[in-house]
């Protein structure tokens, strides 16, 4: 999958997604070292990034653990099997309530 090192453009986020819309998974995903998120010990976090189609656009999507678990329960542990599968987007508040997440 071609990755962008830009400022987040091209990513599906809670700010540019609509609740209850549908995404189609287009890639098996890839673990990528984050350029901006770190653990308390200073080590950079890894992000699980998939190419998806949403609203006629190809976008990248950072899949959090809850999303990965939901996909595993629905489609199995092998992410290659998720290609062309569809999923609903649910937009929820973050634990601190300040932002929203998919």
């Amino acid at each position: 999958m071609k990755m962008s090192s830009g400022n987040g453009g091209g990513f599906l986020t809670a700010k540019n997604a609509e609740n209850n819309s549908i995404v189609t998974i287009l890639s098996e995903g890839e673990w990528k070292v984050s350029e901006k998120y770190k653990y308390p010990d200073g080590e950079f976090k890894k992000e699980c990034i998939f190419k998806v189609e949403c609203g006629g656009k190809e976008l990248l999507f950072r899949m959090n653990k809850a999303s990965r678990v939901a996909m595993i329960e629905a489609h199995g542990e092998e992410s290659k099997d998720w290609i062309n599968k569809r999923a609903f987007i649910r937009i929820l508040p973050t634990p601190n309530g300040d932002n929203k997440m998919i």
Side-chain angles (χ1 to χ4, degrees), residues 26-83:
L26 300 178
S27 73
E28 68 179 279
E30 178 177 74
W31 286 99
K32 181 178 180 258
V33 175
S34 172
E35 295 179 359
K36 67 179 190 178
Y37 299 110
K38 293 182 181 182
Y39 290 106
D41 67 3
E43 186 176 330
F44 285 98
K45 293 183 178 186
K46 288 187 179 179
E47 302 173 311
C48 186
I49 299 178
F50 287 80
K51 187 184 295 184
V52 299
E53 183 276 324
C54 185
K57 296 179 186 176
E58 280 191 17
L59 300 164
L60 298 176
F61 175 56
R62 290 178 187 95
M63 195 174 290
N64 64 23
K65 184 175 181 178
S67 296
R68 293 191 310 268
V69 168
M71 290 296 292
I72 289 167
E73 289 176 358
H75 302 296
E77 292 181 342
E78 180 53 62
S79 66
K80 286 187 289 189
D81 295 338
W82 303 355
I83 296 173

Side-chain angles (χ1 to χ4, degrees), residues 8 11 18 21 36 40 44-45 52 61 70 86 88-89 91:
F11 277 87
E18 291 187 34
S21 58
K36 67 179 190 178
F44 285 98
K45 293 183 178 186
V52 299
F61 175 56
R86 296 170 53 163
F88 281 101
I89 291 179
I91 299 175

